Amino acid sequence: MHRPTRLLAMAAALFVLLLGCGTGSALAGTYPEKTIHIVVPFKAGGGTDSIARALAEAIKAQVDQAVVVDNIDGAGGLTGCIKVAQGAPDGYTLLLTGSSDLTAALTFTDSPLNLDQFAYIGGVFKSPTWVLSHKDRGYKTLKEFLDAAKANPGKLTLGSGTPAGAQMLMSSAIKGISGLDFRIVPYAGGNDLKKALLGNQVDIGIIHAPVMLGEVQAGLINVIGTGMPLDRIVAENLRNTPTLADAGIPIEVGITRGVFVAKNTPAPVVARLTELVKNAAASPAFAEFGKGFGFQPLWIPGADFEKLVRNEFVLFKDIKKKYIE
């Protein structure tokens, strides 16, 4: 290539690079220019929905655009996730869902969705999946239940808040790892399990915290175990509850709510979104919401949030292969 031609090619390449940098700066400087939609892949009224609405308000306080929540239910939570993953990668359609809601759905369902289709903005709430029991059963710890199951093979019952979700995976892991003979009763949803626990119809039940926290604080229900430490729960008297590991079940199970966007969202937009969500998670208004919700919010950076989600998916697939299939 002649020298003038080489110089021309180099100049053109430099122009493209500078143009790209300018575009990135412009995107970061102008975003958002229209309404931001936060997709919740469940019906309105649940825990994830309430978190999304509080987060939307905390983001809206930082920008001049509307921030709205869209409830897109279906396929065990996958319909809304797919909409975001396959939508325009422009940062205007976010997904807020629980890590284990997504990973458990992918564990039990043959879906075109996969974890590589997202960019991970960050986590804002982390709560364990916990083990509850009616006060009249008398159990204070999960170990006491396991000891009773060993002494009474085939006679005790464990209720799972879902038939094919994180609660079922945790239930199956407890049974499989302990090697004990007790019956898992899968319920169609959390409300059904709540009724069974309040009616003292099962020995213990597994559901995401802080479901039934009110009944726990009223003394009707005991928290006898937890899939992860309860260090961020607002009820200080529950923070030292024994974990699964304390009962000889060396796994961690919980739900981390966080924000995702479509994978090819421009890096400057991802950076701006990260700033907005991080600030929202640390805001006094969101902290006040957390007091009522039952857990203190937190901030998990995008890379750490992605690692958490992927590790959880590996764990769930392993549990399903070993103890369910």
Side-chain angles (χ1 to χ4, degrees):
M1 184 182 292
H2 296 296
R3 180 177 177 80
T5 305
R6 287 200 303 271
L7 290 174
L8 183 61
M10 292 173 61
L14 180 61
F15 175 76
V16 171
L17 177 62
L18 292 174
L19 181 63
C21 292
T23 302
S25 299
L27 283 170
T30 60
Y31 177 89
E33 296 181 293
K34 60 181 182 180
T35 298
I36 297 173
H37 292 262
I38 301 178
V39 171
V40 172
F42 305 103
K43 296 177 181 178
T48 301
D49 177 68
S50 63
I51 290 171
R53 293 180 188 278
L55 188 70
E57 291 298 316
I59 293 174
K60 188 162 63 175
Q62 305 174 63
V63 299
D64 295 327
Q65 302 294 335
V67 184
V68 301
V69 173
D70 298 332
N71 297 94
I72 302 177
D73 189 26
L78 288 179
T79 300
C81 298
I82 291 171
K83 178 179 175 61
V84 175
Q86 297 180 350
D90 55 11
Y92 289 98
T93 304
L94 320 181
L95 170 67
L96 191 146
T97 193
S99 58
S100 56
D101 288 328
L102 175 59
T103 54
L106 292 177
T107 298
F108 284 101
T109 306
D110 184 14
S111 170
L113 185 69
N114 64 72
L115 298 179
D116 294 333
Q117 292 174 268
F118 296 106
Y120 297 73
I121 301 300
V124 297
F125 261 101
K126 188 173 186 179
S127 57
T129 305
W130 61 7
V131 189
L132 307 177
S133 183
H134 193 282
K135 65 179 180 62
D136 291 345
R137 295 279 172 170
Y139 299 118
K140 299 297 183 182
T141 67
L142 177 59
K143 186 177 184 305
E144 290 180 2
F145 167 79
L146 296 177
D147 289 343
K150 184 176 181 180
N152 301 276
K155 294 183 179 180
L156 303 189
T157 53
L158 182 160
S160 167
T162 59
Q167 296 96 321
M168 175 55 77
L169 289 161
M170 180 166 154
S171 302
S172 301
I174 291 172
K175 182 174 183 178
I177 293 172
S178 69
L180 297 174
D181 181 14
F182 55 83
R183 185 162 58 95
I184 296 176
V185 181
Y187 287 87
N191 285 333
D192 291 340
L193 177 59
K194 286 170 62 176
K195 292 176 183 177
L197 283 166
L198 286 171
N200 199 12
Q201 297 168 6
V202 290
D203 286 279
I204 64 173
I206 290 179
I207 199 166
H208 291 317
V211 175
M212 301 194 79
L213 178 58
E215 290 83 354
V216 170
Q217 293 177 312
L220 301 174
I221 298 293
N222 293 333
V223 180
I224 67 168
T226 175
M228 294 187 298
L230 285 168
D231 54 313
R232 301 191 69 83
I233 197 166
V234 296
E236 295 184 12
N237 61 307
L238 298 176
R239 291 180 183 172
N240 293 322
T241 299
T243 64
L244 291 180
D246 293 327
I249 312 296
I251 61 170
E252 288 194 348
V253 181
I255 181 168
T256 303
R257 271 86 169 201
V259 178
F260 308 71
V261 291
K263 181 177 182 179
N264 293 322
T265 302
V269 174
V270 170
R272 176 62 174 147
L273 267 174
T274 299
E275 178 185 26
L276 292 173
V277 176
K278 180 180 180 180
N279 290 343
S283 68
F286 202 55
E288 189 63 27
F289 163 79
K291 290 181 182 179
F293 181 73
F295 279 87
Q296 301 167 356
L298 78 171
W299 170 246
I300 302 175
D304 294 333
F305 181 49
E306 179 176 1
K307 183 178 179 181
L308 180 155
V309 172
R310 291 185 181 278
N311 287 344
E312 189 176 80
F313 188 39
V314 171
L315 171 65
F316 285 178
K317 288 193 296 182
D318 185 57
I319 291 174
K320 182 173 181 287
K321 181 178 179 180
K322 287 181 178 178
Y323 306 120
I324 297 178
E325 292 180 349

